[in-house]
Amino acid sequence: MDSIIKSQPTVVVIFGATGDLTWRKLVPAFYNLYLDGRLPDNFAIIGVGHRDISDADFRKKMHSGVDTFSRRGKSKKKEWEVFEQMLSYQRGDFTAKGTYDTVSKLIKKHEKEWGERSSHIFYMAVPPIYFETITTMLGATDMVNNRKTDRLVIEKPFGYDLDSAKQLNNLLHSMYDECQLYRIDHYLGKETVQNILAFRFANALFEPIWNRNYIEHVQITVSEKIGIENRGNYYELAGALRDMIQNHILQLMCLVAMEPPVSFNAEEVRNRKVDVMNAIRRIKPESVNKYAVRGQYGEGWTHGKKVKGYRQEPDVNEKSNVETYAAVKFYIDNWRWQGVPFYLRTGKRMNETTSMITIQFKNVPHQSFPDEAAGNWQPNRLVLNIQPHMDIRLRFQAKKPGLEMLLRPVDMIFDYNEEYSSGSPEAYETLLLDVMEGDSTLFMRADQVEASWDLLMPIIKMWKDNPATNFPNYAAGLQGPEEAEALIAKDGHNWMVPPAAPEKEK
Ligand code: BG6
């Protein structure tokens, strides 16, 4: 194993410590970092929440989270017993100064023991209504005054629209340096997503054809079989556009479309991504219907079980006009991508759970083979499967074995699970380690967030001002609304679905 350089002593304070995110993702991720020897020797997590529970209760709850959600399965007794010593809990009202005084005392206690000041990381695992309060209260303390080592991690959604995102950025910038702010988008921590950069910029092969001369169109699909689960309160204020496209899917698009960075440096990589955002053509209000489609699921079937429609979910208005499906077509106005459509779509309660990027190449310029040979002919296609399949597939034509010249498509596949036996770290492991090490490459900078809101504002406004009249317009467990098929079909394409492999011929 490579020798590991550990971060300096660190205290992580999690606001929202009794919530789902801490239980399912954050503490299991820290636990795996501990098992991998990646935590600093002097390390502590202080959970802060509204509920009145003891350290022991908190540790017990976190233990169940690790046992249920850790990628390594159930924890081992000895290892857990060491790790749990790093966890403590503090009940606190986020609006009360006393809460921050207590946290400060707890941090100082650790530092006294360690004999040095530690890095302070404050994680906002709370609903966005608390962002302003917590960051303002913290900003008034000395816990965040070391610009080099004290950091804030802010979960999505960052803002509700362009104005609120700007307002939040302005507030944060009045108290913190941008280099202290880690706006998290967990998609960027996924192995397969990070690999897009490696695939594009560590190989010479694809770059010459990665442009409008060879690429016909690009599709990005993130579909989920699950509904909104128990997040009605959140989802009613979000919808698919805000929940997935504003952040995860636009980030994927930037990774596909960005220019090669000069170096793998946080500012350089983020600059190249912002360039893409700035070059994406703004959709005019009168054209929203031509470029964007929305949908909402009604009742249907999934996993052989009858499931509720969105409007019947808990905490959802029975006349809700919130979209659970969104598809958008964008163009990028620059030399590389002029005229190449990028189709993005996402939906809840779809027929498949999949995140995939398809690069569809153009036809060959001249078909040399007779029609009889080319019966099953398909243009080249590159599929980057993000999850749950983790692979990259390049489809090309090959001669079918036999006495005649018959062509058929085949796939060349790089499959993560076949290639590597060691499991990949979870996105949160990568991202939390990056925060501890002060590497913000995979985090959203203020201008990135604002640019992506800016891009979506015409759609958001149009949809708000013109409530859908046909909701629900797709049944749970199916492919989404018909209008989304039309969005892409009118350009002569269709949505790709996994598995991307061509059927084997006998
Ligand atoms: C979250 C969204 O950001 O991402 C959820 O709020 C969505 O609605 C989730 O289900 C998907 O993440 P993943 O990692 O499960 O694909």
Side-chain angles (χ1 to χ4, degrees):
M1 192 165 47
D2 300 339
S3 63
I4 294 173
I5 301 168
K6 295 198 178 193
S7 319
Q8 69 179 108
T10 302
V11 179
V12 177
V13 179
I14 304 178
F15 290 96
T18 53
D20 240 30
L21 181 70
T22 310
W23 182 57
R24 283 171 188 265
K25 297 285 183 191
L26 303 183
V27 172
F30 279 120
Y31 182 66
N32 279 310
L33 287 172
Y34 154 70
L35 293 184
D36 287 335
R38 292 296 192 145
L39 292 185
D41 295 333
N42 291 324
F43 177 80
I45 295 177
I46 303 172
V48 183
H50 286 140
R51 291 180 41 203
D52 194 6
I53 57 171
S54 64
D55 281 351
D57 293 337
F58 180 61
R59 289 174 179 169
K60 206 164 144 203
K61 169 90 179 155
M62 295 304 117
H63 194 182
S64 77
V66 166
D67 283 352
T68 318
F69 302 110
S70 161
R71 67 184 162 92
R72 290 187 163 105
K74 278 197 170 216
S75 58
K76 294 199 180 107
K77 190 166 182 280
K78 260 197 179 155
E79 290 166 341
W80 174 258
E81 280 172 2
V82 177
F83 179 77
E84 73 171 355
Q85 295 308 314
M86 303 174 202
L87 304 178
S88 62
Y89 180 80
Q90 181 58 47
R91 180 181 176 273
D93 171 356
F94 301 148
T95 61
K97 184 175 172 294
T99 303
Y100 302 84
D101 294 341
T102 314
V103 169
S104 175
K105 273 189 205 137
L106 291 171
I107 293 179
K108 292 214 166 89
K109 205 172 126 205
H110 285 298
E111 290 174 345
K112 197 166 165 215
E113 208 176 290
W114 300 335
E116 58 184 317
R117 189 187 191 279
S118 59
S119 162
H120 304 160
I121 293 170
F122 297 94
Y123 201 114
M124 310 291 135
V126 289
I129 44 160
Y130 294 114
F131 288 173
E132 223 179 289
T133 313
I134 299 177
T135 53
T136 307
M137 301 289 277
L138 272 176
T141 72
D142 65 355
M143 292 187 280
V144 289
N145 64 4
N146 187 332
R147 314 257 132 178
K148 290 215 171 97
T149 59
D150 299 339
R151 300 172 190 133
L152 249 63
V153 186
I154 303 165
E155 270 292 334
K156 65 173 271 262
F158 192 92
Y160 175 77
D161 54 15
L162 179 59
D163 287 345
S164 54
K166 276 187 176 166
Q167 207 180 320
L168 187 53
N169 274 332
N170 290 342
L171 176 84
L172 291 170
H173 289 155
S174 69
M175 295 172 289
Y176 305 90
D177 270 3
E178 177 62 27
C179 68
Q180 294 181 275
L181 304 171
Y182 287 70
R183 300 174 192 79
I184 205 162
D185 180 327
H186 79 281
Y187 255 64
L188 295 179
K190 291 183 191 274
E191 275 295 324
T192 41
V193 173
Q194 293 181 68
N195 196 34
I196 301 172
L197 287 173
F199 181 82
R200 286 198 57 207
F201 304 127
N203 297 296
L205 204 57
F206 290 97
E207 174 54 23
I209 56 169
W210 206 262
N211 56 52
R212 64 189 301 271
N213 298 328
Y214 295 91
I215 293 177
E216 166 84 42
H217 74 270
V218 176
Q219 293 184 20
I220 305 179
T221 293
V222 178
S223 66
E224 295 176 291
K225 272 190 180 174
I226 54 168
I228 54 151
E229 310 218 276
N230 288 321
R231 299 160 77 215
N233 286 325
Y234 157 75
Y235 209 84
E236 278 285 271
L237 292 175
L241 203 62
R242 289 186 172 89
D243 186 45
M244 299 296 286
I245 295 193
Q246 188 270 336
N247 35 72
H248 309 323
I249 301 183
L250 277 172
Q251 284 302 307
L252 295 179
M253 178 169 168
C254 286
L255 291 170
V256 171
M258 68 194 268
E259 293 302 314
V262 172
S263 62
F264 204 71
N265 153 293
E267 291 321 312
E268 175 65 13
V269 171
R270 299 193 297 180
N271 286 343
R272 297 293 75 84
K273 284 163 75 178
V274 174
D275 289 345
V276 177
M277 293 274 192
N278 291 338
I280 297 177
R281 192 180 303 162
R282 270 38 186 177
I283 298 174
K284 295 201 178 85
E286 64 274 19
S287 307
V288 166
N289 289 340
K290 230 169 96 189
Y291 289 92
V293 165
R294 58 185 150 166
Q296 188 191 75
Y297 61 84
E299 60 174 27
W301 294 82
T302 196
H303 300 295
K305 270 198 193 143
K306 187 143 202 195
V307 293
K308 290 178 188 161
Y310 176 69
R311 289 177 177 177
Q312 287 75 52
E313 300 274 15
D315 302 318
V316 170
N317 183 326
E318 58 187 23
K319 293 196 179 126
S320 175
N321 193 48
V322 167
E323 81 285 353
T324 58
Y325 179 102
V328 188
K329 172 164 91 168
F330 283 122
Y331 284 100
I332 303 177
D333 285 332
N334 63 18
W335 278 46
R336 187 187 285 269
W337 295 113
Q338 193 56 239
V340 179
F342 281 70
Y343 302 97
L344 321 182
R345 66 169 172 160
T346 185
K348 297 275 187 201
R349 282 275 185 245
M350 303 274 286
N351 55 337
E352 296 273 4
T353 293
T354 186
S355 298
M356 63 190 278
I357 301 173
T358 306
I359 317 289
Q360 180 66 57
F361 290 94
K362 287 187 175 169
N363 244 321
V364 289
H366 168 66
Q367 178 59 272
S368 318
F369 295 93
D371 287 351
E372 313 84 83
N376 194 10
W377 184 89
Q378 286 176 13
N380 296 124
R381 176 190 301 167
L382 181 74
V383 180
L384 309 175
N385 276 312
I386 308 294
Q387 63 181 32
H389 305 289
M390 294 169 66
D391 61 34
I392 298 180
R393 293 163 181 257
L394 179 62
R395 176 164 299 186
F396 59 94
Q397 302 303 307
K399 179 184 174 300
K400 189 178 163 196
L403 298 175
E404 287 116 307
M405 171 55 85
L406 285 179
L407 303 177
R408 69 176 285 262
V410 289
D411 278 357
M412 219 154 66
I413 303 174
F414 153 60
D415 186 311
Y416 282 72
N417 295 329
E418 279 173 20
E419 189 71 22
Y420 304 111
S421 53
S422 63
S424 311
E426 283 267 341
Y428 274 97
E429 293 169 42
T430 303
L431 296 173
L432 289 171
L433 186 61
D434 282 355
V435 178
M436 290 195 284
E437 291 178 344
D439 180 354
S440 53
T441 313
L442 300 178
F443 293 80
M444 310 276 288
R445 210 170 52 189
D447 54 346
Q448 277 180 295
V449 182
E450 290 181 15
S452 70
W453 279 119
D454 182 52
L455 197 58
L456 296 182
M457 284 322 292
I459 309 177
I460 290 177
K461 185 163 181 330
M462 194 60 162
W463 285 0
K464 180 169 170 261
D465 295 347
N466 300 278
T469 49
N470 63 346
F471 278 2
N473 61 350
Y474 70 100
L478 296 185
Q479 273 185 26
E482 257 173 38
E483 294 92 319
E485 303 298 320
L487 177 82
I488 190 162
K490 67 185 178 216
D491 296 343
H493 313 306
N494 54 288
W495 294 112
M496 306 290 170
V497 287
E503 282 185 10
K504 280 226 160 56
E505 281 194 21
K506 283 156 203 144

